[in-house]
Amino acid sequence: MKLRAVFRPKTLCVIGVSQYNPLSPGTVIYQKNLHEMEVEVFGVNPRGGKIDDREIYKSVSDVPKDIDLAVICIHAEAVNGVMEECGEVGVKGVVVVSGGFAEIGGEGVERQNQLVKIARKYDMAVIGPNCVGVYSPPYVDTFFLPSERLVTPPPGNVAVISQSGGVLVDQFFSKYTERKIGVSVAVSIGNKAVVDENVLLDYFKNDPKTKLITLYIEGFREKEGALFLRKAAECFEKKPVLVFRAGKSDYGRRATVSHTGSVMTATNVASAAFRQWGVIEAESEYEIITFSKVLSFKLPSIKNGDVAILTISGGHGVLCADLCAQYGLRLVEFTEEEQEEMRRLLNPSAAPIASLKNPIDLTGSLMDNDVEKIADYLMKNEKVEALILLMLPYPPTISMQLGRRTANIVRKYRKPVVAYVPWLPKYSMIVEGFELNGVPVAHTVEEAVQMIKALKLKGEAEMRINRTLSYERFSS
Amino acid sequence: MKLRAVFRPKTLCVIGVSQYNPLSPGTVIYQKNLHEMEVEVFGVNPRGGKIDDREIYKSVSDVPKDIDLAVICIHAEAVNGVMEECGEVGVKGVVVVSGGFAEIGGEGVERQNQLVKIARKYDMAVIGPNCVGVYSPPYVDTFFLPSERLVTPPPGNVAVISQSGGVLVDQFFSKYTERKIGVSVAVSIGNKAVVDENVLLDYFKNDPKTKLITLYIEGFREKEGALFLRKAAECFEKKPVLVFRAGKSDYGRRATVSHTGSVMTATNVASAAFRQWGVIEAESEYEIITFSKVLSFKLPSIKNGDVAILTISGGHGVLCADLCAQYGLRLVEFTEEEQEEMRRLLNPSAAPIASLKNPIDLTGSLMDNDVEKIADYLMKNEKVEALILLMLPYPPTISMQLGRRTANIVRKYRKPVVAYVPWLPKYSMIVEGFELNGVPVAHTVEEAVQMIKALKLKGEAEMRINRTLSYERFSS
């Protein structure tokens, strides 16, 4: 399939523009690509006319150039006729925005089967139906939502595949932007009649811009799930595959049927199977964001989850200790001797009152270089696999250099470090100091712990995937 | 005890100011009260001197006015001597910022016992030791952290009592501000040697500014827990009591000992006991914020948790359905007839593709008045106890009036409604439209579900508290 035409089209034809309604999906897509993206755009409507003095063509065959990608936003009943026409003029890829297919049952199912036949006949890569399609900057953007209503995540290395357009633009785009997670390409696959997760995994596996593939999945069709595991395993050797499933409860399952017409949900592809094949699974809308963030950083994975906590606030230390227990991480125990070694590194105000068990609580009497020295000590300590820094910069002795200085020190070692810093504009210098130097910053204590969990899941996935693949190779 | 002197002092004496170090805790407190608060401030240091041309007194007895509140920030060994002096000159309340008491064990325990004796001898209301003390705007603020480093929550009706100063200024102040939750008074009680949660519950019970009391608790001492239940039950008749406990895991318990010297943790006061006595318990750092927000609104509580979900995005509907199942809420089932009644209310674009089961998915083809009409219909439907609105304003047909219009309609009924709206600056008109008209807006789908959970817990607490109290009255 010509997926390159979908993600990097030179020409785009929007079928279903309106010269009278600037809010119609077709017109929104037409305008945004014309003014915001690099692709060359043509509008089609059987009644012709003009939009801002630009000609509207009466059919696809009237468009004066070869078309890489067509976007169809017309009533469901008319879609398959237009699909045929696209096939005949040699369109390579199609995004079908229109709803009214398998997700409504009955005639919709038949309509979708017909659509698949036409796609196969002309070998067209079809995204949808019932989707918002493709966001592939700077080339093309088929989302029918005006850009000024959306939040555009920064350019980056995460590819997003979503069965829901709403979840894509909100849970991923808005929340990713809030957390500064960069996106390479995003696809809403809707009913995934032709192009599904598996086709896309094959494509993104070799996409050099993409370093992490994240998916929002409501359900798999028969056989699709088993194939997904194999495709994901193949990807994992190059880049992690991260999944968030919805529709796991009875209520959720019922809701998916009327949403994307998924006839079989992921219950038959249990989390155990995901784990076996190296897929990293996020369990909540929070985890999918946090996991995306930490996996988009170049941090080493960990095996056992032996963690040290370095904090400025005793209460945060207690909260974090509870969360480590809840997330199956272990707190390293330091001997009296090790505690004394650390105490000797501290400034004279903090030394007598700091608590050097784990969590290590430097208290509000600390200064920047107390954090630097203890962090360095912990990196050298062989018992410590990963470090969580709870850096509340409220005491006046902490400087805005805390992030950069500490990050530069810990990055000398091959151990993951994550930080929690209150995500306030006035502390952005500390946050950026950490992040630009390779230490991801969480918005909450729980996010920091989730980040370490993700690195442990990645470590487990690396072990399992090798076992699974060598078994596969051995048996074949 | 003279708690009024602690929260509304006319005169404040800061013991331990430094003319050389502007970052010392005493000096920070001195300066911020002098320039930012209404209280009249005096500084004390045995060496005397001046700060910005204002005299530093050599002892408490040199201060030329009667002192309502003294703040002590000096080395632990010197605290009790100064406490005696305060007692002798008739100081009514004291905040002991200094650490080095029960939390360090050994001599610290003895020092704290001595401090309690002096407090009792002179009947002084002592906050701490080992705390940041009191934030009571516009009167006084004893936090030794510079205001420009903190985030000040808006004025409001929530009183906060915290065993950790760090948790108070960060988990409460920063996160409350992010969520626009207003604070009446906040107290960090530290080692709570004299003034503990129970004393404060008695005080806040009758504070007219406070409509909700929230607590961060790491542990209770012997007998303190049982008394807490009684005090909380007495409060609950007037205002809800909301608790977040930390130190629940083995790791967390060990961490609390070195933090606030709590010799007995809350394990002996199980969640079951809280429920019995009407205390509402939040289970995570997210829930404590969300519960605080929804309980600070004037929403009716609910009994069974029968929820309707109205969404613009099918995927968000699925996510929310999963979360309702996870949080023990039930989705109302609508008959075919009811679904048809709703369908007839919709605009012609949305009507054929909307899904009117529960979640009710209006799809991206909706307009404002589809939401208004369906919300009104659901409020009238007797099966629906509470409504969750998942309002993603990305489709261009949605106007900025959506929040106000919808809120005005649903507020005609005595049923709780909460909304999820992406919390973006460009949508603040919708968010404010909802919130100013009595519909709290969540930042995530999970927060919206947590809000309904809080109202169900409140409903259960109301039933239980009446049963518990009538049994108590019967047996006494």
Side-chain angles (χ1 to χ4, degrees):
Chain A
M1 253 183 292
K2 296 127 182 169
L3 278 173
R4 208 184 146 80
V6 171
F7 293 114
R8 299 197 173 195
K10 290 203 160 44
T11 50
L12 173 73
C13 173
V14 184
I15 301 162
V17 297
S18 159
Q19 67 178 332
Y20 303 112
N21 179 7
L23 303 185
S24 82
T27 312
V28 171
I29 297 168
Y30 177 81
Q31 301 273 34
K32 68 156 48 164
N33 280 282
L34 188 63
H35 299 294
E36 301 168 30
M37 308 306 285
E38 287 185 1
V39 73
E40 189 179 359
V41 194
F42 305 93
V44 169
N45 185 310
R47 278 167 295 189
K50 294 207 168 195
I51 294 180
D52 299 338
D53 289 341
R54 287 175 52 95
E55 184 179 352
I56 301 176
Y57 299 91
K58 291 195 175 165
S59 83
V60 181
S61 44
D62 291 345
V63 175
K65 281 217 178 171
D66 286 349
I67 299 162
D68 289 332
L69 180 63
V71 182
I72 302 181
C73 352
I74 57 180
H75 278 291
E77 306 89 61
V79 168
N80 284 332
V82 169
M83 280 282 293
E84 274 286 355
E85 228 182 311
C86 285
E88 277 163 20
V89 302
V91 168
K92 301 187 187 94
V94 183
V95 171
V96 182
V97 171
S98 320
F101 291 82
E103 84 282 5
I104 63 162
E107 53 170 4
V109 176
E110 181 41 43
R111 190 175 291 139
Q112 185 162 319
N113 291 340
Q114 189 59 30
L115 180 142
V116 173
K117 267 190 210 156
I118 302 168
R120 302 250 184 271
K121 179 167 141 198
Y122 296 103
D123 188 27
M124 289 188 289
V126 177
I127 310 282
N130 186 27
C131 72
V132 300
V134 175
Y135 171 77
S136 179
Y139 312 106
V140 69
D141 174 359
T142 75
F143 295 1
F144 61 81
L145 309 159
S147 308
E148 67 276 15
R149 285 199 172 237
L150 297 177
V151 178
T152 306
N157 58 22
V158 185
V160 185
I161 303 169
S162 174
Q163 235 178 297
S164 159
V167 168
L168 181 55
V169 299
D170 187 55
Q171 300 294 95
F172 287 96
F173 276 23
S174 291
K175 301 290 192 288
Y176 267 31
T177 307
E178 241 178 54
R179 298 293 189 268
K180 294 195 181 174
I181 303 168
V183 166
S184 55
V185 185
V187 198
S188 138
I189 52 178
N191 295 7
K192 52 177 175 174
V194 178
V195 171
D196 61 11
E197 296 89 353
N198 298 327
V199 175
L200 291 171
L201 283 185
D202 269 345
Y203 182 81
F204 289 130
K205 183 174 64 184
N206 299 313
D207 176 25
K209 281 205 297 182
T210 298
K211 303 290 180 210
L212 167 69
I213 303 171
T214 62
L215 298 104
Y216 168 79
I217 295 175
E218 291 187 357
F220 288 113
R221 282 175 295 235
E222 222 167 330
K223 291 186 189 155
E224 207 176 49
L227 185 60
F228 176 78
L229 294 175
R230 274 170 192 282
K231 294 288 180 193
E234 284 168 32
C235 274
F236 192 85
E237 292 192 302
K238 292 186 164 189
K239 45 194 87 169
V241 176
L242 173 58
V243 163
F244 178 43
R245 287 190 296 144
K248 288 189 275 194
S249 66
D250 280 349
Y251 289 141
R253 254 189 299 282
R254 266 178 265 161
T256 59
V257 174
S258 30
H259 178 220
T260 45
S262 301
V263 290
M264 192 172 294
T265 65
T267 37
N268 63 332
V269 186
S271 300
F274 277 159
R275 277 203 296 277
Q276 189 64 24
W277 293 80
V279 176
I280 300 170
E281 187 173 9
E283 285 174 27
S284 69
E285 60 177 318
Y286 298 108
E287 279 196 356
I288 184 66
I289 304 305
T290 311
F291 284 16
S292 297
K293 173 133 190 179
V294 70
L295 295 176
S296 73
F297 275 70
K298 290 178 192 107
L299 297 178
S301 57
I302 57 173
K303 278 191 184 131
N304 306 313
D306 292 326
V307 170
I309 301 168
L310 179 55
T311 183
I312 294 172
S313 152
H316 285 72
V318 177
L319 288 177
C320 192
D322 274 351
L323 286 163
C324 283
Q326 188 185 319
Y327 279 87
L329 303 174
R330 302 188 301 209
L331 294 199
V332 173
E333 288 192 28
F334 297 111
T335 62
E336 291 291 329
E337 201 175 36
E338 288 169 320
Q339 292 182 45
E340 274 320 301
E341 282 170 9
M342 287 192 269
R343 199 175 299 280
R344 280 195 292 273
L345 299 171
L346 295 175
N347 86 65
S349 297
I353 54 171
S355 166
L356 295 152
K357 298 194 178 74
N358 193 6
I360 295 159
D361 176 10
L362 298 181
T363 79
S365 299
L366 89 168
M367 310 211 293
D368 284 9
N369 60 6
D370 294 315
V371 174
E372 293 166 13
K373 285 177 188 166
I374 300 292
D376 192 63
Y377 179 90
L378 294 169
M379 289 288 99
K380 282 190 190 124
N381 188 310
E382 285 182 4
K383 294 188 285 188
V384 175
E385 248 191 315
L387 173 60
I388 299 176
L389 298 167
L390 305 176
M391 297 290 105
L392 295 92
Y394 305 121
T397 44
I398 292 182
S399 89
M400 294 302 126
Q401 279 68 54
L402 179 72
R404 162 173 290 279
R405 282 294 300 134
T406 309
N408 289 349
I409 287 165
V410 298
R411 280 298 295 278
K412 296 186 294 174
Y413 305 90
R414 287 261 325 145
K415 286 182 184 182
V417 177
V418 304
Y420 162 68
V421 178
W423 200 275
L424 301 167
K426 63 178 123 190
Y427 293 131
S428 53
M429 199 179 289
I430 296 178
V431 172
E432 288 173 28
F434 273 121
E435 296 210 323
L436 294 171
N437 292 285
V439 174
V441 177
H443 281 222
T444 64
V445 180
E446 188 153 352
E447 275 188 18
V449 175
Q450 286 173 345
M451 285 182 176
I452 302 296
K453 176 187 170 183
L455 296 173
K456 183 160 171 263
L457 288 176
K458 183 157 174 263
E460 288 165 4
E462 280 157 4
M463 284 198 308
R464 286 216 183 79
I465 198 72
N466 288 330
R467 219 183 295 146
T468 304
L469 290 180
S470 57
Y471 176 78
E472 287 284 310
R473 276 161 200 154
F474 177 75
S475 20
S476 63
Chain B
M1 255 184 286
K2 297 128 182 169
L3 277 173
R4 210 184 146 80
V6 171
F7 294 114
R8 301 199 173 194
K10 289 204 161 47
T11 48
L12 173 73
C13 173
V14 184
I15 300 162
V17 298
S18 159
Q19 66 178 335
Y20 303 111
N21 179 6
L23 303 185
S24 82
T27 312
V28 171
I29 297 168
Y30 177 80
Q31 300 272 35
K32 69 156 47 167
N33 280 283
L34 188 63
H35 298 295
E36 301 168 31
M37 309 306 286
E38 287 185 0
V39 73
E40 188 178 0
V41 194
F42 305 91
V44 168
N45 184 309
R47 278 166 295 188
K50 293 207 167 195
I51 294 179
D52 300 337
D53 291 339
R54 287 176 52 92
E55 184 178 351
I56 301 175
Y57 298 92
K58 292 197 175 167
S59 84
V60 182
S61 45
D62 291 344
V63 175
K65 280 215 177 173
D66 285 349
I67 299 162
D68 288 333
L69 180 63
V71 182
I72 302 181
C73 353
I74 57 179
H75 278 291
E77 307 88 62
V79 168
N80 284 332
V82 170
M83 281 284 292
E84 275 285 356
E85 226 181 313
C86 285
E88 277 164 19
V89 302
V91 169
K92 301 188 187 92
V94 183
V95 171
V96 181
V97 172
S98 321
F101 290 81
E103 84 282 6
I104 61 162
E107 53 170 3
V109 176
E110 180 42 43
R111 191 176 291 139
Q112 184 162 319
N113 290 340
Q114 189 59 28
L115 180 144
V116 174
K117 267 191 211 157
I118 301 167
R120 301 249 183 274
K121 178 168 143 198
Y122 296 104
D123 188 27
M124 289 188 289
V126 177
I127 310 282
N130 187 26
C131 71
V132 300
V134 174
Y135 171 76
S136 179
Y139 312 106
V140 69
D141 174 359
T142 74
F143 295 2
F144 61 80
L145 307 160
S147 307
E148 67 276 14
R149 287 200 171 236
L150 297 177
V151 178
T152 307
N157 58 23
V158 184
V160 185
I161 303 169
S162 174
Q163 235 179 296
S164 159
V167 168
L168 181 56
V169 297
D170 187 54
Q171 300 294 94
F172 287 96
F173 276 22
S174 291
K175 301 289 193 288
Y176 268 29
T177 306
E178 241 177 54
R179 298 293 189 267
K180 293 195 181 175
I181 304 167
V183 166
S184 54
V185 186
V187 198
S188 140
I189 53 178
N191 295 7
K192 52 178 176 173
V194 177
V195 171
D196 60 12
E197 296 88 354
N198 298 327
V199 175
L200 291 171
L201 283 184
D202 269 346
Y203 182 80
F204 289 128
K205 183 173 65 184
N206 299 314
D207 176 25
K209 282 204 299 179
T210 298
K211 303 292 178 206
L212 167 69
I213 304 171
T214 61
L215 298 105
Y216 168 79
I217 295 175
E218 291 187 357
F220 287 114
R221 281 175 293 233
E222 221 167 332
K223 292 186 190 159
E224 206 176 48
L227 184 62
F228 176 78
L229 294 175
R230 277 171 190 282
K231 295 287 179 193
E234 284 168 31
C235 274
F236 192 85
E237 293 191 300
K238 293 187 166 189
K239 46 194 87 169
V241 176
L242 172 58
V243 162
F244 178 42
R245 286 191 296 145
K248 288 189 273 192
S249 66
D250 279 350
Y251 289 142
R253 253 188 300 281
R254 265 179 265 161
T256 59
V257 173
S258 30
H259 179 221
T260 44
S262 301
V263 289
M264 193 172 294
T265 66
T267 37
N268 62 332
V269 187
S271 300
F274 277 160
R275 279 202 296 278
Q276 189 63 23
W277 292 80
V279 176
I280 300 171
E281 187 174 8
E283 285 174 27
S284 68
E285 59 177 318
Y286 298 108
E287 280 195 356
I288 184 66
I289 304 304
T290 312
F291 284 16
S292 297
K293 173 133 190 179
V294 70
L295 294 176
S296 73
F297 275 71
K298 289 178 193 106
L299 297 179
S301 57
I302 57 173
K303 278 191 183 130
N304 306 313
D306 292 326
V307 171
I309 301 168
L310 180 55
T311 182
I312 294 172
S313 153
H316 286 72
V318 177
L319 288 178
C320 191
D322 274 350
L323 286 163
C324 284
Q326 187 184 321
Y327 279 86
L329 303 174
R330 301 188 301 208
L331 294 200
V332 173
E333 289 192 29
F334 297 111
T335 63
E336 290 292 329
E337 201 176 37
E338 288 169 320
Q339 292 182 44
E340 275 320 302
E341 282 171 9
M342 287 191 268
R343 200 176 297 282
R344 280 195 292 275
L345 298 171
L346 294 176
N347 84 67
S349 299
I353 53 172
S355 167
L356 296 153
K357 299 195 177 72
N358 193 7
I360 295 158
D361 176 11
L362 298 182
T363 80
S365 299
L366 89 166
M367 309 212 294
D368 284 10
N369 61 6
D370 295 316
V371 174
E372 293 166 12
K373 285 176 187 168
I374 300 292
D376 191 63
Y377 179 90
L378 293 169
M379 289 287 98
K380 282 189 190 125
N381 187 310
E382 284 183 3
K383 294 188 285 189
V384 176
E385 247 191 316
L387 173 60
I388 299 175
L389 298 167
L390 305 176
M391 297 289 106
L392 295 92
Y394 305 121
T397 44
I398 293 182
S399 88
M400 295 302 125
Q401 280 67 54
L402 179 73
R404 163 174 289 280
R405 283 293 299 136
T406 310
N408 288 349
I409 286 165
V410 298
R411 281 297 295 278
K412 295 186 296 176
Y413 305 89
R414 288 265 319 149
K415 285 184 184 180
V417 178
V418 304
Y420 162 68
V421 177
W423 199 276
L424 302 166
K426 62 178 124 190
Y427 294 130
S428 53
M429 201 180 286
I430 297 179
V431 171
E432 288 172 28
F434 273 121
E435 296 210 323
L436 295 170
N437 292 284
V439 174
V441 176
H443 282 223
T444 64
V445 179
E446 188 153 350
E447 275 187 19
V449 175
Q450 285 173 345
M451 285 180 175
I452 302 296
K453 176 187 169 183
L455 296 173
K456 184 160 172 264
L457 288 177
K458 183 157 174 263
E460 288 166 4
E462 280 157 4
M463 285 197 308
R464 286 218 183 78
I465 198 74
N466 289 329
R467 217 184 296 145
T468 304
L469 289 179
S470 57
Y471 175 80
E472 287 284 309
R473 275 159 200 153
F474 177 76
S475 24
S476 64

